[in-house]
Amino acid sequence: MQRESERWHTLGEHLAELDDALADLRVHTTMDAELVTALTLPQLTEIQLAVAQAADSFKVIASRFTRTTVNIGVSGAARMGKSTLLQSISGLDDNQIPTGHGIPVTAVRSRIFHSPAVRRAELEMHSPESFLTAVISPLHAALDLSPAPRTVAEFRDWVYPEAHPDTRHRVLLTRLRELHSALTSYEPLLTGGVKTVPLEEVRPFVAYPTHEEISKAGERVGRAYAAVREARIECAFPHEHVARIGIVDLPGLGEVVADAERQHVAGLRNEVDAVLVVKRSSDTSSFFDETDTAGLGLLDEVRGFVRSTGEFAYLVHNTDPDKPHLAENLRGDLLRNVNGGEPDRFFTVFETDVRDPERVGREVLGPLLKRMAEGLPVMDAEVLAGTRTQASSVRDRTRLQLTDLRRALDQVARRAGVPEEVNEAKAAQLRSTIARRLRVLVAELAAEAHGSVLDQGFSEAVEKAYEDVVGWIQDGFGKGPDAWKEEALACMITEGHAAAFAGPEFSRIRVEISRRFAALDDFFTARLTAAWDRTAAVLAAECGALFQDDGSKEADSASSSDDATAAPAVAPAARSGRDVLAELAELFAASSQPCPGLASAVNSLLDVRLEYRTLLYPRVRPDLAPLNLQVTHPDTGEQMQHVAVPLTTEGAEHLHELFNSLAEQAAFRIQRSLSQEAAVPAVVIHALVEQFEDTLIRSGTSVMEFRRFVRSYRNDLWPAEFKGIDEANSRFARVLRVTQDISKALEEGQR
């Protein structure tokens, strides 16, 4: 039962979450008025209350099944001997269970438990709020005095009328005025806690003042009972073999106090296993009257799901040995009018003198406990079955609401945005727009590569390199003309021939001329960087939101134009095209659904190197051939040495002129050859970007990987569009999850 209570409590939490999730979904911007109406479940609040009550019911049953005492309620109208019967069962006296003649005396519901070692009273005290709610407000309502005071201070300052023409209202007004005038006697006790007092001092806390006390103190008489919600008394019962017994003292039925009877039985369901209703024959009441009948009806609230009233409620005929004729009259009335002429047909009647503890033990307590030993399992089963039946009804109502909700959710699913479909459309749109923009860029690069206008920048770079080489030659090959000649003469004289100097110098000059023309690498780097920038700008026009800082991402970066010929957006400021492309490659590779093909396409573009050494040097290498000690004869094809000068100053001068002439001729030939290759860099750039465009857009995995890319970064690419869709679907998914949790909990309960 504890697990069942916890399950229903969890179900209540799921329903509360469902209520919140539905409210969250209803206010989303994607929901139209019709969907909002469909997602409103008018019975949800009512079902939540029923589920909470079911959880409480199973919790109460768990408490009933784990309770260590058999609890017997004792009730009856005033002056019937109820308090005397309690004394005979518990062994207490007037100091704890007061009795009286002619007036009600019990003011507070008490629970009395057998305890062989403990003797004390624990008083559960009212708080100011509970006192006003449970005691004062009902009196105000019964007397049509509204509004009721909201604070004790308001109650203290309230001015009540002196009298009321109606008898019952006059009695209620008297009770209210008594509480009002005695407020100072119990206001300090309104602590809301538990107060422990010796049993010898408990009477003022559970009983009305006696007639003598009222006569002596008047309006100043203390009314400590007004501050007490309930009393728990522990003492040793006098009856042999009695243990784990609890007696619940129910204040007199029929007492003229606002809603007193219902308040006294409130909360006792499953806390009382049986009730003894005391009825005493007297000169004025030797029959079962309307007050007694109403009292039995009121006890039905305590009985709950126990089907047999006779197993729960028992009548105690309190006889007076000195007045046998009165006992006979009541005995006959109980037989005829209560049991339909058949002894114990509807209610078992225990007949005893409640003043005699020995007779009470033998004629009431013993037979009652024997009946309960047999009947308690039956009553427990009835209580359990009744609670489960009630819970089953709640379960069915909850299922019906879930069915209605699922129909509404089907409408939402059909009419709200479906993320995968939107995702595929966005992926196709992104791929198509990038393809059109790249196609425009490729066309521009093709025109630059194959157009009639030469690349002026390349020609200028070649001319600059040529002038640098010529200047170096004229500067004595970097040594100064005189120094060069002196070095040549010294080497020739030392070695005895010109070849010793000419051979190494030819090699040095060839290498240096090639190195100086390699300055074209700066031009190639600039052209490649420009290609990266232009390509990055194309991609940033569609994916720029991915490369913005956090502040820029607040705006909708998905406002790309459908016109692919429009000027592409520039990559974010202060970031090179290479950096943007590198980040894009990383985004492709590191996305939640990786796109290795797209990443490879970008990385391949970034891995390209345009260099003079690899691109143009092989084409100009023949132009450097004359700068060798041995050359091929143009007619015979034979190898010959074309450096032969005397080992003199004049020979060194002649050698310098020869080297100058050959070097300048080689530089000129290279310049002419490079000028003829002016279109090569542009052709290479065009081919690179065209290959990138083909790989990115038309590889075998391109379509799939663009979908993956959009799934991973759609909220960054189109925050305004997908934020709403994702929020709506997240809220929708939450509702679905909660309904599944509720269905699961209901199924578990069914099993």
mmCIF file of all heavy atoms in Angstrom, residues 95-96 98 105-110 121-125 185-186 188-189 195-209 222-231 233:
data_model
loop_
_atom_site.group_PDB
_atom_site.id
_atom_site.type_symbol
_atom_site.label_atom_id
_atom_site.label_comp_id
_atom_site.label_asym_id
_atom_site.label_seq_id
_atom_site.Cartn_x
_atom_site.Cartn_y
_atom_site.Cartn_z
ATOM 1 N N ASN A 95 -10.596 13.336 36.613
ATOM 2 C CA ASN A 95 -9.541 14.304 36.309
ATOM 3 C C ASN A 95 -9.067 14.201 34.859
ATOM 4 O O ASN A 95 -8.507 15.153 34.325
ATOM 5 C CB ASN A 95 -8.347 14.102 37.239
ATOM 6 C CG ASN A 95 -8.627 14.599 38.642
ATOM 7 O OD1 ASN A 95 -9.307 15.614 38.804
ATOM 8 N ND2 ASN A 95 -8.136 13.877 39.648
ATOM 9 N N GLN A 96 -9.268 13.028 34.253
ATOM 10 C CA GLN A 96 -8.847 12.847 32.861
ATOM 11 C C GLN A 96 -10.047 12.704 31.921
ATOM 12 O O GLN A 96 -10.027 13.200 30.795
ATOM 13 C CB GLN A 96 -7.954 11.611 32.712
ATOM 14 C CG GLN A 96 -6.661 11.669 33.524
ATOM 15 C CD GLN A 96 -6.855 11.207 34.948
ATOM 16 O OE1 GLN A 96 -7.619 10.267 35.204
ATOM 17 N NE2 GLN A 96 -6.182 11.849 35.899
ATOM 18 N N PRO A 98 -13.731 13.580 32.344
ATOM 19 C CA PRO A 98 -14.750 14.119 33.245
ATOM 20 C C PRO A 98 -16.144 13.626 32.893
ATOM 21 O O PRO A 98 -16.469 13.390 31.727
ATOM 22 C CB PRO A 98 -14.619 15.619 33.039
ATOM 23 C CG PRO A 98 -14.030 15.768 31.680
ATOM 24 C CD PRO A 98 -13.124 14.597 31.486
ATOM 25 N N VAL A 105 -19.764 17.706 28.992
ATOM 26 C CA VAL A 105 -18.491 17.984 29.664
ATOM 27 C C VAL A 105 -17.277 17.781 28.762
ATOM 28 O O VAL A 105 -16.251 18.439 28.941
ATOM 29 C CB VAL A 105 -18.339 17.107 30.926
ATOM 30 C CG1 VAL A 105 -19.334 17.534 31.986
ATOM 31 C CG2 VAL A 105 -18.513 15.639 30.602
ATOM 32 N N THR A 106 -17.333 16.858 27.791
ATOM 33 C CA THR A 106 -16.166 16.560 26.953
ATOM 34 C C THR A 106 -16.062 17.605 25.852
ATOM 35 O O THR A 106 -16.970 17.726 25.029
ATOM 36 C CB THR A 106 -16.265 15.154 26.338
ATOM 37 O OG1 THR A 106 -16.489 14.218 27.389
ATOM 38 C CG2 THR A 106 -14.993 14.818 25.593
ATOM 39 N N ALA A 107 -14.975 18.344 25.815
ATOM 40 C CA ALA A 107 -14.806 19.433 24.852
ATOM 41 C C ALA A 107 -13.822 19.100 23.741
ATOM 42 O O ALA A 107 -13.843 19.729 22.692
ATOM 43 C CB ALA A 107 -14.327 20.690 25.581
ATOM 44 N N VAL A 108 -12.935 18.120 23.959
ATOM 45 C CA VAL A 108 -11.860 17.817 23.015
ATOM 46 C C VAL A 108 -11.832 16.323 22.746
ATOM 47 O O VAL A 108 -12.005 15.517 23.664
ATOM 48 C CB VAL A 108 -10.493 18.283 23.572
ATOM 49 C CG1 VAL A 108 -9.351 17.846 22.655
ATOM 50 C CG2 VAL A 108 -10.472 19.788 23.765
ATOM 51 N N ARG A 109 -11.606 15.964 21.497
ATOM 52 C CA ARG A 109 -11.460 14.553 21.159
ATOM 53 C C ARG A 109 -10.158 14.023 21.748
ATOM 54 O O ARG A 109 -9.099 14.642 21.579
ATOM 55 C CB ARG A 109 -11.447 14.377 19.638
ATOM 56 C CG ARG A 109 -11.419 12.937 19.192
ATOM 57 C CD ARG A 109 -11.633 12.833 17.684
ATOM 58 N NE ARG A 109 -10.480 13.315 16.939
ATOM 59 C CZ ARG A 109 -10.468 13.472 15.616
ATOM 60 N NH1 ARG A 109 -11.568 13.249 14.924
ATOM 61 N NH2 ARG A 109 -9.380 13.905 14.996
ATOM 62 N N SER A 110 -10.274 12.887 22.435
ATOM 63 C CA SER A 110 -9.101 12.293 23.083
ATOM 64 C C SER A 110 -8.867 10.888 22.545
ATOM 65 O O SER A 110 -9.823 10.153 22.249
ATOM 66 C CB SER A 110 -9.290 12.231 24.604
ATOM 67 O OG SER A 110 -9.440 13.525 25.150
ATOM 68 N N ALA A 121 -0.191 12.813 29.278
ATOM 69 C CA ALA A 121 -1.090 13.348 28.253
ATOM 70 C C ALA A 121 -0.283 14.250 27.329
ATOM 71 O O ALA A 121 0.460 15.125 27.795
ATOM 72 C CB ALA A 121 -2.230 14.124 28.887
ATOM 73 N N GLU A 122 -0.414 14.022 26.035
ATOM 74 C CA GLU A 122 0.212 14.880 25.033
ATOM 75 C C GLU A 122 -0.896 15.645 24.329
ATOM 76 O O GLU A 122 -1.808 15.043 23.754
ATOM 77 C CB GLU A 122 1.016 14.049 24.027
ATOM 78 C CG GLU A 122 2.211 13.340 24.637
ATOM 79 C CD GLU A 122 2.955 12.498 23.611
ATOM 80 O OE1 GLU A 122 2.491 12.448 22.444
ATOM 81 O OE2 GLU A 122 3.970 11.884 23.974
ATOM 82 N N LEU A 123 -0.819 16.946 24.359
ATOM 83 C CA LEU A 123 -1.863 17.803 23.814
ATOM 84 C C LEU A 123 -1.369 18.458 22.524
ATOM 85 O O LEU A 123 -0.349 19.152 22.523
ATOM 86 C CB LEU A 123 -2.255 18.882 24.827
ATOM 87 C CG LEU A 123 -2.637 18.392 26.230
ATOM 88 C CD1 LEU A 123 -2.928 19.578 27.133
ATOM 89 C CD2 LEU A 123 -3.835 17.453 26.163
ATOM 90 N N GLU A 124 -2.080 18.200 21.443
ATOM 91 C CA GLU A 124 -1.776 18.872 20.182
ATOM 92 C C GLU A 124 -2.509 20.210 20.187
ATOM 93 O O GLU A 124 -3.737 20.251 20.190
ATOM 94 C CB GLU A 124 -2.224 18.022 18.990
ATOM 95 C CG GLU A 124 -1.896 18.660 17.653
ATOM 96 C CD GLU A 124 -2.398 17.843 16.478
ATOM 97 O OE1 GLU A 124 -2.853 16.705 16.696
ATOM 98 O OE2 GLU A 124 -2.361 18.364 15.337
ATOM 99 N N MET A 125 -1.761 21.303 20.194
ATOM 100 C CA MET A 125 -2.341 22.622 20.378
ATOM 101 C C MET A 125 -2.689 23.270 19.042
ATOM 102 O O MET A 125 -2.045 23.025 18.014
ATOM 103 C CB MET A 125 -1.363 23.532 21.138
ATOM 104 C CG MET A 125 -0.780 22.912 22.406
ATOM 105 S SD MET A 125 -2.035 22.313 23.575
ATOM 106 C CE MET A 125 -2.699 23.890 24.114
ATOM 107 N N SER A 185 -7.215 33.585 28.676
ATOM 108 C CA SER A 185 -6.858 32.372 29.416
ATOM 109 C C SER A 185 -6.223 31.316 28.526
ATOM 110 O O SER A 185 -5.525 30.425 29.026
ATOM 111 C CB SER A 185 -8.100 31.796 30.103
ATOM 112 O OG SER A 185 -9.010 31.251 29.150
ATOM 113 N N TYR A 186 -6.441 31.374 27.223
ATOM 114 C CA TYR A 186 -5.895 30.319 26.356
ATOM 115 C C TYR A 186 -5.072 30.869 25.187
ATOM 116 O O TYR A 186 -4.421 30.096 24.479
ATOM 117 C CB TYR A 186 -7.019 29.422 25.823
ATOM 118 C CG TYR A 186 -8.068 30.130 24.986
ATOM 119 C CD1 TYR A 186 -7.862 30.366 23.630
ATOM 120 C CD2 TYR A 186 -9.271 30.532 25.549
ATOM 121 C CE1 TYR A 186 -8.828 30.999 22.858
ATOM 122 C CE2 TYR A 186 -10.245 31.166 24.788
ATOM 123 C CZ TYR A 186 -10.021 31.406 23.440
ATOM 124 O OH TYR A 186 -10.975 32.028 22.680
ATOM 125 N N PRO A 188 -2.190 32.371 25.106
ATOM 126 C CA PRO A 188 -0.776 31.958 25.159
ATOM 127 C C PRO A 188 -0.550 30.496 24.782
ATOM 128 O O PRO A 188 0.579 30.100 24.483
ATOM 129 C CB PRO A 188 -0.390 32.210 26.623
ATOM 130 C CG PRO A 188 -1.380 33.217 27.119
ATOM 131 C CD PRO A 188 -2.659 32.888 26.404
ATOM 132 N N LEU A 189 -1.622 29.682 24.804
ATOM 133 C CA LEU A 189 -1.487 28.260 24.483
ATOM 134 C C LEU A 189 -1.585 27.983 22.983
ATOM 135 O O LEU A 189 -1.368 26.844 22.546
ATOM 136 C CB LEU A 189 -2.563 27.456 25.222
ATOM 137 C CG LEU A 189 -2.532 27.548 26.753
ATOM 138 C CD1 LEU A 189 -3.757 26.842 27.334
ATOM 139 C CD2 LEU A 189 -1.247 26.934 27.297
ATOM 140 N N LYS A 195 2.012 19.894 23.754
ATOM 141 C CA LYS A 195 2.249 20.210 25.165
ATOM 142 C C LYS A 195 2.021 18.948 25.981
ATOM 143 O O LYS A 195 0.996 18.282 25.834
ATOM 144 C CB LYS A 195 1.290 21.319 25.618
ATOM 145 C CG LYS A 195 1.440 21.748 27.082
ATOM 146 C CD LYS A 195 0.437 22.849 27.411
ATOM 147 C CE LYS A 195 0.535 23.276 28.860
ATOM 148 N NZ LYS A 195 1.864 23.858 29.179
ATOM 149 N N THR A 196 2.972 18.606 26.849
ATOM 150 C CA THR A 196 2.850 17.432 27.715
ATOM 151 C C THR A 196 2.475 17.883 29.127
ATOM 152 O O THR A 196 3.122 18.776 29.685
ATOM 153 C CB THR A 196 4.170 16.650 27.754
ATOM 154 O OG1 THR A 196 4.529 16.266 26.424
ATOM 155 C CG2 THR A 196 4.037 15.410 28.614
ATOM 156 N N VAL A 197 1.426 17.241 29.663
ATOM 157 C CA VAL A 197 0.981 17.593 31.023
ATOM 158 C C VAL A 197 0.736 16.303 31.800
ATOM 159 O O VAL A 197 0.405 15.258 31.217
ATOM 160 C CB VAL A 197 -0.304 18.457 31.003
ATOM 161 C CG1 VAL A 197 -0.069 19.770 30.291
ATOM 162 C CG2 VAL A 197 -1.443 17.682 30.348
ATOM 163 N N PRO A 198 0.892 16.332 33.105
ATOM 164 C CA PRO A 198 0.552 15.152 33.924
ATOM 165 C C PRO A 198 -0.943 14.863 33.821
ATOM 166 O O PRO A 198 -1.765 15.768 33.639
ATOM 167 C CB PRO A 198 0.956 15.578 35.342
ATOM 168 C CG PRO A 198 1.885 16.731 35.162
ATOM 169 C CD PRO A 198 1.466 17.426 33.919
ATOM 170 N N LEU A 199 -1.301 13.594 33.950
ATOM 171 C CA LEU A 199 -2.711 13.230 33.834
ATOM 172 C C LEU A 199 -3.558 13.917 34.898
ATOM 173 O O LEU A 199 -4.738 14.212 34.670
ATOM 174 C CB LEU A 199 -2.871 11.711 33.945
ATOM 175 C CG LEU A 199 -2.328 10.900 32.758
ATOM 176 C CD1 LEU A 199 -2.661 9.422 32.934
ATOM 177 C CD2 LEU A 199 -2.883 11.403 31.447
ATOM 178 N N GLU A 200 -2.986 14.210 36.046
ATOM 179 C CA GLU A 200 -3.744 14.845 37.121
ATOM 180 C C GLU A 200 -4.121 16.294 36.778
ATOM 181 O O GLU A 200 -5.004 16.862 37.411
ATOM 182 C CB GLU A 200 -2.924 14.829 38.424
ATOM 183 C CG GLU A 200 -2.725 13.440 39.030
ATOM 184 C CD GLU A 200 -1.748 12.591 38.219
ATOM 185 O OE1 GLU A 200 -0.914 13.201 37.490
ATOM 186 O OE2 GLU A 200 -1.823 11.342 38.286
ATOM 187 N N GLU A 201 -3.459 16.851 35.748
ATOM 188 C CA GLU A 201 -3.709 18.249 35.400
ATOM 189 C C GLU A 201 -4.372 18.403 34.040
ATOM 190 O O GLU A 201 -4.498 19.516 33.528
ATOM 191 C CB GLU A 201 -2.382 19.015 35.411
ATOM 192 C CG GLU A 201 -1.671 18.991 36.749
ATOM 193 C CD GLU A 201 -0.296 19.640 36.684
ATOM 194 O OE1 GLU A 201 -0.027 20.311 35.649
ATOM 195 O OE2 GLU A 201 0.492 19.491 37.631
ATOM 196 N N VAL A 202 -4.843 17.327 33.444
ATOM 197 C CA VAL A 202 -5.303 17.384 32.061
ATOM 198 C C VAL A 202 -6.741 17.865 31.923
ATOM 199 O O VAL A 202 -7.157 18.321 30.855
ATOM 200 C CB VAL A 202 -5.128 16.000 31.385
ATOM 201 C CG1 VAL A 202 -6.228 15.036 31.838
ATOM 202 C CG2 VAL A 202 -5.144 16.138 29.867
ATOM 203 N N ARG A 203 -7.534 17.809 32.978
ATOM 204 C CA ARG A 203 -8.970 18.080 32.851
ATOM 205 C C ARG A 203 -9.291 19.424 32.191
ATOM 206 O O ARG A 203 -10.115 19.481 31.266
ATOM 207 C CB ARG A 203 -9.658 17.996 34.220
ATOM 208 C CG ARG A 203 -11.177 18.046 34.114
ATOM 209 C CD ARG A 203 -11.867 18.110 35.468
ATOM 210 N NE ARG A 203 -13.293 17.890 35.353
ATOM 211 C CZ ARG A 203 -14.169 18.779 34.870
ATOM 212 N NH1 ARG A 203 -13.732 19.964 34.454
ATOM 213 N NH2 ARG A 203 -15.452 18.490 34.788
ATOM 214 N N PRO A 204 -8.706 20.552 32.607
ATOM 215 C CA PRO A 204 -9.077 21.830 31.988
ATOM 216 C C PRO A 204 -8.795 21.882 30.484
ATOM 217 O O PRO A 204 -9.384 22.702 29.782
ATOM 218 C CB PRO A 204 -8.212 22.852 32.738
ATOM 219 C CG PRO A 204 -7.781 22.171 33.979
ATOM 220 C CD PRO A 204 -7.688 20.723 33.656
ATOM 221 N N PHE A 205 -7.906 20.998 30.016
ATOM 222 C CA PHE A 205 -7.533 21.013 28.604
ATOM 223 C C PHE A 205 -8.476 20.179 27.736
ATOM 224 O O PHE A 205 -8.402 20.267 26.506
ATOM 225 C CB PHE A 205 -6.096 20.502 28.431
ATOM 226 C CG PHE A 205 -5.061 21.389 29.046
ATOM 227 C CD1 PHE A 205 -4.560 21.117 30.309
ATOM 228 C CD2 PHE A 205 -4.601 22.506 28.374
ATOM 229 C CE1 PHE A 205 -3.607 21.930 30.882
ATOM 230 C CE2 PHE A 205 -3.635 23.331 28.942
ATOM 231 C CZ PHE A 205 -3.142 23.053 30.202
ATOM 232 N N VAL A 206 -9.324 19.340 28.365
ATOM 233 C CA VAL A 206 -10.188 18.456 27.573
ATOM 234 C C VAL A 206 -11.668 18.607 27.923
ATOM 235 O O VAL A 206 -12.518 18.023 27.241
ATOM 236 C CB VAL A 206 -9.765 16.976 27.758
ATOM 237 C CG1 VAL A 206 -8.350 16.747 27.237
ATOM 238 C CG2 VAL A 206 -9.890 16.545 29.210
ATOM 239 N N ALA A 207 -12.006 19.385 28.975
ATOM 240 C CA ALA A 207 -13.398 19.449 29.437
ATOM 241 C C ALA A 207 -13.848 20.890 29.592
ATOM 242 O O ALA A 207 -13.048 21.808 29.818
ATOM 243 C CB ALA A 207 -13.549 18.714 30.767
ATOM 244 N N TYR A 208 -15.181 21.072 29.434
ATOM 245 C CA TYR A 208 -15.763 22.377 29.706
ATOM 246 C C TYR A 208 -15.675 22.663 31.213
ATOM 247 O O TYR A 208 -15.608 21.741 32.041
ATOM 248 C CB TYR A 208 -17.227 22.403 29.276
ATOM 249 C CG TYR A 208 -17.430 22.239 27.792
ATOM 250 C CD1 TYR A 208 -18.037 21.097 27.273
ATOM 251 C CD2 TYR A 208 -17.039 23.235 26.907
ATOM 252 C CE1 TYR A 208 -18.243 20.942 25.914
ATOM 253 C CE2 TYR A 208 -17.237 23.094 25.536
ATOM 254 C CZ TYR A 208 -17.832 21.944 25.051
ATOM 255 O OH TYR A 208 -18.026 21.798 23.706
ATOM 256 N N PRO A 209 -15.687 23.935 31.610
ATOM 257 C CA PRO A 209 -15.716 24.257 33.047
ATOM 258 C C PRO A 209 -16.981 23.696 33.699
ATOM 259 O O PRO A 209 -18.040 23.593 33.070
ATOM 260 C CB PRO A 209 -15.710 25.782 33.067
ATOM 261 C CG PRO A 209 -15.260 26.204 31.715
ATOM 262 C CD PRO A 209 -15.672 25.134 30.767
ATOM 263 N N GLY A 222 -11.417 30.076 33.114
ATOM 264 C CA GLY A 222 -10.473 29.662 32.085
ATOM 265 C C GLY A 222 -11.059 28.639 31.125
ATOM 266 O O GLY A 222 -11.862 27.785 31.513
ATOM 267 N N ARG A 223 -10.665 28.720 29.875
ATOM 268 C CA ARG A 223 -11.151 27.775 28.852
ATOM 269 C C ARG A 223 -9.952 27.288 28.024
ATOM 270 O O ARG A 223 -9.855 27.507 26.816
ATOM 271 C CB ARG A 223 -12.200 28.430 27.963
ATOM 272 C CG ARG A 223 -13.448 28.843 28.749
ATOM 273 C CD ARG A 223 -14.562 29.361 27.869
ATOM 274 N NE ARG A 223 -15.702 29.767 28.681
ATOM 275 C CZ ARG A 223 -16.679 28.945 29.073
ATOM 276 N NH1 ARG A 223 -16.627 27.660 28.723
ATOM 277 N NH2 ARG A 223 -17.681 29.391 29.813
ATOM 278 N N ALA A 224 -9.044 26.603 28.712
ATOM 279 C CA ALA A 224 -7.833 26.099 28.057
ATOM 280 C C ALA A 224 -8.158 25.121 26.945
ATOM 281 O O ALA A 224 -7.395 24.980 25.976
ATOM 282 C CB ALA A 224 -6.921 25.443 29.089
ATOM 283 N N TYR A 225 -9.309 24.403 27.047
ATOM 284 C CA TYR A 225 -9.681 23.418 26.027
ATOM 285 C C TYR A 225 -9.783 24.042 24.640
ATOM 286 O O TYR A 225 -9.611 23.363 23.618
ATOM 287 C CB TYR A 225 -11.019 22.754 26.391
ATOM 288 C CG TYR A 225 -12.188 23.713 26.370
ATOM 289 C CD1 TYR A 225 -12.869 23.980 25.191
ATOM 290 C CD2 TYR A 225 -12.610 24.357 27.536
ATOM 291 C CE1 TYR A 225 -13.943 24.866 25.169
ATOM 292 C CE2 TYR A 225 -13.660 25.240 27.529
ATOM 293 C CZ TYR A 225 -14.335 25.501 26.330
ATOM 294 O OH TYR A 225 -15.387 26.374 26.308
ATOM 295 N N ALA A 226 -10.073 25.337 24.567
ATOM 296 C CA ALA A 226 -10.248 25.995 23.266
ATOM 297 C C ALA A 226 -8.964 25.986 22.447
ATOM 298 O O ALA A 226 -9.001 26.094 21.220
ATOM 299 C CB ALA A 226 -10.737 27.424 23.469
ATOM 300 N N ALA A 227 -7.824 25.862 23.111
ATOM 301 C CA ALA A 227 -6.539 25.874 22.406
ATOM 302 C C ALA A 227 -6.077 24.481 21.999
ATOM 303 O O ALA A 227 -5.024 24.344 21.377
ATOM 304 C CB ALA A 227 -5.470 26.532 23.282
ATOM 305 N N VAL A 228 -6.846 23.438 22.340
ATOM 306 C CA VAL A 228 -6.414 22.061 22.106
ATOM 307 C C VAL A 228 -7.147 21.474 20.901
ATOM 308 O O VAL A 228 -8.375 21.506 20.836
ATOM 309 C CB VAL A 228 -6.657 21.188 23.351
ATOM 310 C CG1 VAL A 228 -6.154 19.771 23.114
ATOM 311 C CG2 VAL A 228 -5.979 21.804 24.573
ATOM 312 N N ARG A 229 -6.376 20.933 19.957
ATOM 313 C CA ARG A 229 -6.963 20.239 18.800
ATOM 314 C C ARG A 229 -7.366 18.818 19.176
ATOM 315 O O ARG A 229 -8.442 18.342 18.821
ATOM 316 C CB ARG A 229 -5.962 20.180 17.632
ATOM 317 C CG ARG A 229 -5.624 21.508 17.025
ATOM 318 C CD ARG A 229 -4.496 21.377 16.022
ATOM 319 N NE ARG A 229 -4.889 20.544 14.899
ATOM 320 C CZ ARG A 229 -5.250 21.015 13.701
ATOM 321 N NH1 ARG A 229 -5.269 22.319 13.492
ATOM 322 N NH2 ARG A 229 -5.571 20.199 12.729
ATOM 323 N N GLU A 230 -6.461 18.120 19.870
ATOM 324 C CA GLU A 230 -6.694 16.729 20.214
ATOM 325 C C GLU A 230 -5.745 16.338 21.344
ATOM 326 O O GLU A 230 -4.649 16.884 21.466
ATOM 327 C CB GLU A 230 -6.470 15.829 18.992
ATOM 328 C CG GLU A 230 -6.833 14.374 19.202
ATOM 329 C CD GLU A 230 -6.768 13.565 17.917
ATOM 330 O OE1 GLU A 230 -7.781 13.533 17.206
ATOM 331 O OE2 GLU A 230 -5.702 12.986 17.633
ATOM 332 N N ALA A 231 -6.202 15.390 22.153
ATOM 333 C CA ALA A 231 -5.380 14.917 23.265
ATOM 334 C C ALA A 231 -5.036 13.446 23.062
ATOM 335 O O ALA A 231 -5.872 12.655 22.605
ATOM 336 C CB ALA A 231 -6.114 15.102 24.585
ATOM 337 N N ILE A 233 -3.665 10.333 25.402
ATOM 338 C CA ILE A 233 -3.423 9.940 26.784
ATOM 339 C C ILE A 233 -2.901 8.513 26.807
ATOM 340 O O ILE A 233 -3.440 7.627 26.126
ATOM 341 C CB ILE A 233 -4.715 10.055 27.615
ATOM 342 C CG1 ILE A 233 -5.181 11.513 27.661
ATOM 343 C CG2 ILE A 233 -4.503 9.520 29.022
ATOM 344 C CD1 ILE A 233 -6.521 11.710 28.349
#
